[in-house]
């Protein structure tokens, strides 16, 4: 079993869509793959075959892996209710409504739950593709960040950091994020992806070289902006005209489109090296 975790410099940088596409590429390459997002916050919900609630992103990622979506792929789901109160769901079932202060205390008990759940999840698969949430560099609340580096530690996963160039300041967001991580967490970051690029990538090559010299971490891809009609939590992907693939056939077409796009723009040889860490297990 191997694993890889994708974290972002901010919310809505495209983690869910990229994880969906990477799940599909690994699945196409013959690996048994499962998605996992330890903690998610979303108003939109998917219900698995047992009626358990989970994030829409992990449901799509499961389908991209050829799997039935199950709530244990997203064990902690927070559903905001307003006034700093959220419904807290564990394995798809409501635990309680909690204030942010109450949840801050409660989540210490969730570390054991995540360890137990992850041990079960990883047993039957070659690769676990983990997705973070928000940013790992929220230094004011990072004493126990179940969404990002704490889960990377539990799963012993290398991390690839995703940044969104479309919003501007991509170099500063990458360098700043890495600078704000402690040494142990920074050493987990083995690669960077620059997402939502518009323009001629040839003109961007010098910037990539300068960035790699600064951070001493390889950029494993620059991914051009692409319209993918797959539903995403709370409309974060900004799908135009509400055109979303509904049927399994439509979804398969979108998965294949996304897979081709990522194969053309990511260095999967390097990504496999990061996943397997020189264990020579690639097929």
């Amino acid at each position: 079993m191997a694993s890889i975790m994708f974290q972002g410099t901010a919310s809505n940088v495209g983690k869910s869509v990229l994880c969906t596409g990477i799940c599909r590429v690994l699945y196409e390459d013959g690996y048994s793959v499962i998605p996992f997002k330890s903690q998610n916050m979303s108003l939109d919900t998917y219900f698995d075959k047992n009626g358990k609630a989970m994030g829409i992103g992990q449901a799509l990622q499961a389908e991209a892996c050829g799997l039935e979506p199950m709530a244990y792929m997203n064990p902690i789901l927070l559903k905001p209710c307003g006034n700093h109160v959220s419904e807290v769901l564990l394995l798809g079932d409501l635990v309680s409504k909690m204030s942010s202060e109450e949840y801050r205390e409660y989540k210490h008990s969730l570390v054991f739950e995540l360890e137990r759940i992850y041990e079960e999840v990883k047993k039957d698969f070659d690769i676990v593709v983990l997705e973070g949430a928000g940013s790992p560099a929220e230094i004011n609340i990072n004493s126990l960040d179940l969404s990002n580096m704490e889960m990377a530690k539990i799963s012993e996963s290398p991390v690839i950091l995703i940044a969104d160039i479309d919003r501007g300041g991509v170099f500063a967001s990458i360098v700043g994020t890495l600078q704000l991580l402690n040494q142990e967490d920074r050493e987990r970051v083995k690669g960077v992806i620059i997402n939502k690029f518009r323009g001629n990538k040839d003109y961007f090559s010098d910037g990539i070289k300068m960035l790699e010299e600064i951070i001493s971490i390889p950029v494993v891809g620059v991914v051009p902006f692409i319209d993918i009609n797959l539903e995403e939590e709370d409309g974060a992907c900004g799908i135009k005209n509400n055109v979303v693939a509904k049927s399994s056939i439509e979804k398969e077409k979108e998965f294949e489109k996304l897979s081709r796009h990522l194969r053309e723009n990511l260095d999967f040889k390097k990504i496999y090296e990061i996943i397997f860490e020189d264990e020579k297990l690639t097929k």
Side-chain angles (χ1 to χ4, degrees), residues 238-257:
I239 293 170
K240 300 174 182 177
N241 302 320
N242 295 317
V243 178
V244 177
K246 298 291 186 182
S247 72
S248 58
I249 294 175
E250 290 172 328
K251 287 180 183 178
E252 281 298 310
K253 289 180 179 178
E254 294 301 305
F255 291 150
E256 290 169 7
K257 176 183 173 182

Side-chain angles (χ1 to χ4, degrees), residues 1-5 118 126-130 155-158 274-276:
M1 194 284 302
S3 63
I4 181 75
M5 188 170 196
Y118 186 77
D126 298 326
I127 304 173
V128 184
V129 175
L130 297 98
S155 60
E156 299 182 337
S157 297
I274 292 170
I275 292 173
F276 291 118

Side-chain angles (χ1 to χ4, degrees), residues 5 11 13 17 21 24 28 56 82 92 95 99 130 138 164 168 174 179 211 228 243 254-255 262:
M5 188 170 196
S11 299
V13 298
V17 170
R24 172 47 64 110
E28 290 173 346
I56 290 171
V95 176
S99 68
L130 297 98
E138 304 291 352
D164 176 2
I174 294 167
Q179 281 293 104
L211 176 64
I228 292 292
V243 178
E254 294 301 305
F255 291 150
L262 296 188

Side-chain angles (χ1 to χ4, degrees), residues 203-218:
Y203 300 150
F204 196 57
S205 57
D206 287 345
I208 295 298
K209 291 176 184 177
M210 288 186 281
L211 176 64
E212 290 178 329
E213 289 175 1
I214 292 168
I215 63 176
S216 300
I217 297 169

Side-chain angles (χ1 to χ4, degrees), residues 2 15-16 21 24 38 51 63 76 85-86 93 107 138 142 146-147 168 170 173 180 188-189 198 202 206 264 272:
K15 294 187 295 294
S16 293
R24 172 47 64 110
S38 54
E63 291 177 308
I76 303 169
V85 173
S86 294
D93 291 324
K107 69 179 182 179
E138 304 291 352
N142 260 6
L146 297 180
S147 302
V170 71
S173 68
L180 290 172
R188 288 188 180 276
V189 182
R198 301 175 191 263
D202 291 339
D206 287 345
E264 292 169 358
Y272 274 125

Side-chain angles (χ1 to χ4, degrees), residues 19-52:
C19 283
T20 300
I22 289 165
C23 280
R24 172 47 64 110
V25 169
L26 302 182
Y27 173 68
E28 290 173 346
D29 285 353
Y31 293 96
S32 60
V33 189
I34 186 169
F36 191 85
K37 185 168 185 173
S38 54
Q39 177 179 282
N40 202 355
M41 177 176 281
S42 178
L43 291 170
D44 295 335
T45 309
Y46 178 93
F47 293 93
D48 70 14
K49 66 180 182 180
N50 298 319
K52 307 297 185 181

Side-chain angles (χ1 to χ4, degrees), residues 4-7 158-163 171 174-175 178 186-195 204-205 207-222 265-275 278:
I4 181 75
M5 188 170 196
F6 294 88
Q7 299 181 11
V159 172
I160 292 180
L161 185 66
I162 300 170
F171 298 122
I174 294 167
V175 175
L178 293 169
R186 189 159 55 245
E187 289 175 356
R188 288 188 180 276
V189 182
K190 304 299 184 181
V192 170
I193 294 173
I194 295 175
N195 195 26
F204 196 57
S205 57
I208 295 298
K209 291 176 184 177
M210 288 186 281
L211 176 64
E212 290 178 329
E213 289 175 1
I214 292 168
I215 63 176
S216 300
I217 297 169
V219 175
V220 299
V222 177
N265 293 287
L266 293 179
D267 182 352
F268 273 95
K269 181 180 179 181
K270 183 61 182 177
I271 290 172
Y272 274 125
E273 288 175 1
I274 292 170
I275 292 173
D278 300 322

